Amino acid sequence: MTSGLWELVLQGVWVTIQLLFFSSLLAAAVSFVIGVARTHRLWVVRFLAGVYTEVFRGTSALVMIFWVFFVLPPAFGWQLVPMWAGTLALGLTYGAYGSEIVRGALGAVDPAQKEGGIALSFTPWQRMKLILLPQAVPEMIPPFSNLLIELLKGTALVSIMGMGDLAFSGNLVRLALQESAEIYTYILLIYFVIAFLLTRVMRGLEKKLKAGVGKAPTRDPDAELKRPETTNVGGAA
């Protein structure tokens, strides 16, 4: 490829990284707000949070992008630029998946810890801040890492709006050179490198957070089954 075409691809990489950054921030905020709301003591709050989760988790991210960019603007008389339309659609959609991660991690905290906070007369917010979140957040990192990689791959959907992300730029280069195998191989490798770097960062964050609560990170963060420890009660050492 010529230097001009490589510059086009690099511009697409930059757009993809920006979109990933903004949409992941929105998805993280939505995940914690809705996830915590799913554990609220009021059933109305839990119900509304559950409706949000089911709606956005059960609809296509591609169709959601169409709605945000093509359907809603005429209805409300305004137009979002592609970057913010993509950020809104992806952040709200992937935030619904993340809310289930937050809800599950909070529910997995030992009930005795919650009862201890009640015994100390902590308010619900104090129990959440001082007891539940410090123990639950480290357990959220591995599934959040997977969700972040899925979000990275989901950014390619914004190319339908004509947004110059990596997928869109790669397709323009393919049309210019009439060479599919080489161009799409480069694009796959670029996505892989970004995903690999994200995974390394999330692994480091997991180690740091688990060290803060006195836990050692698992060797395989995707493993769900752990071998139980055995003790020789009444047996030979």
Side-chain angles (χ1 to χ4, degrees), residues 86-167:
T87 297
L88 186 62
L90 293 175
L92 293 177
T93 299
Y94 284 87
Y97 291 98
S99 68
E100 284 297 281
I101 296 175
V102 173
R103 182 191 64 81
L106 291 175
V109 176
D110 190 346
Q113 300 287 331
K114 306 174 187 178
E115 295 170 0
I118 296 174
L120 292 172
S121 299
F122 284 176
T123 64
W125 168 244
Q126 288 176 320
R127 294 198 299 271
M128 181 66 64
K129 179 182 177 181
L130 301 176
I131 299 176
L132 298 181
L133 285 178
Q135 298 181 68
V137 168
E139 304 301 327
M140 300 176 193
I141 299 302
F144 266 133
S145 179
N146 289 334
L147 188 61
L148 185 60
I149 302 304
E150 289 297 322
L151 178 54
L152 169 63
K153 294 184 287 186
T155 58
L157 297 174
V158 301
S159 60
I160 64 170
M161 299 184 295
M163 186 174 174
D165 71 312
L166 178 57

